[in-house]
Amino acid sequence: ATTPVFFVLLVTELQNSHDAVHLAEKDTALHLHGFAETQRRITDSTHTVLRTIASIPDISNLDVEKSKVVLSTLLEANPIYTNVILVDLKGNVVAAGKNHVMARKLNFGDRKQFKEAIASKGFAAGEFVVGKSSKKAIFPFGMAVQNKQGEVTGAIIIGVSLAHYGEYFE
């Protein structure tokens, strides 16, 4: 007498389980699409910001004092970034938006974003790292800096705080 009821409950539970898995798959795909769009927008806006900053004569001339002002102003207006650093062709820090004195002791010549920015004379994405200057989990980008003659004089390195993504996922 209880067998038909048991089978009805079993089939209903299996269907509910299947529906829950399907709904979870759709939710995950939606969140991943949103995350990918967020990453694309951050990359595009970072590219635009770096291209603009790289075109400022004080930056392309590697002027230490004036570059510090520009870089610190950029950071104040954009809290998503952990630090922005101007480096010479060897990767040695010329100026930093934060912790300038400490950052001057660092070299970014070994970083992917620096090497690719210099090689391409343009914009480059790095890979997940703990920032040398910020000591925070970041995703860095680089942009070659060129003088008026089109010669590469250095690069700008900027780190996007991964804490920003944590807020997104929450």
Side-chain angles (χ1 to χ4, degrees):
T2 61
T3 303
V5 173
F6 173 75
F7 281 118
V8 169
L9 289 174
L10 179 65
V11 169
T12 302
E13 189 57 37
L14 289 173
Q15 183 62 43
N16 288 342
S17 176
H18 179 270
D19 291 347
V21 168
H22 183 68
L23 184 60
E25 288 172 348
K26 286 177 68 175
D27 284 350
T28 301
L30 181 64
H31 286 296
L32 287 175
H33 176 72
F35 177 73
E37 181 62 22
T38 299
Q39 178 60 35
R40 186 191 64 74
R41 287 182 182 178
I42 288 171
T43 301
D44 289 348
S45 65
T46 300
H47 182 202
T48 301
V49 165
L50 290 181
R51 184 177 44 211
T52 303
I53 296 298
S55 69
I56 297 172
D58 294 332
I59 297 289
S60 62
N61 294 332
L62 305 181
D63 183 301
V64 175
E65 293 305 315
K66 292 180 181 176
S67 293
K68 281 179 13 183
V69 172
V70 171
L71 300 178
S72 64
T73 302
L74 169 66
L75 288 177
E76 288 172 14
N78 297 282
I80 188 173
Y81 302 120
T82 57
N83 205 352
V84 58
I85 297 171
L86 177 63
V87 298
D88 64 19
L89 284 174
K90 294 180 181 177
N92 296 316
V93 174
V94 173
K98 284 184 186 172
N99 305 321
H100 174 77
V101 174
M102 183 189 81
R104 289 288 305 237
K105 300 172 187 173
L106 301 175
N107 180 285
F108 288 83
D110 63 333
R111 296 295 174 121
K112 179 182 182 284
Q113 68 276 7
F114 170 76
K115 291 177 182 178
E116 290 183 7
I118 296 297
S120 69
K121 295 184 177 182
F123 182 72
E127 53 200 9
F128 165 79
V129 293
V130 173
K132 286 185 178 187
S133 175
S134 68
K135 306 291 186 214
K136 295 180 182 178
I138 63 167
F139 191 86
F141 294 95
M143 171 66 83
V145 174
Q146 300 178 29
N147 62 19
K148 289 182 181 180
Q149 293 76 32
E151 300 165 331
V152 176
T153 58
I156 301 172
I157 307 296
I158 196 165
V160 176
S161 170
L162 293 185
H164 173 75
Y165 295 108
E167 293 168 10
Y168 174 79
F169 281 122
E170 284 180 22

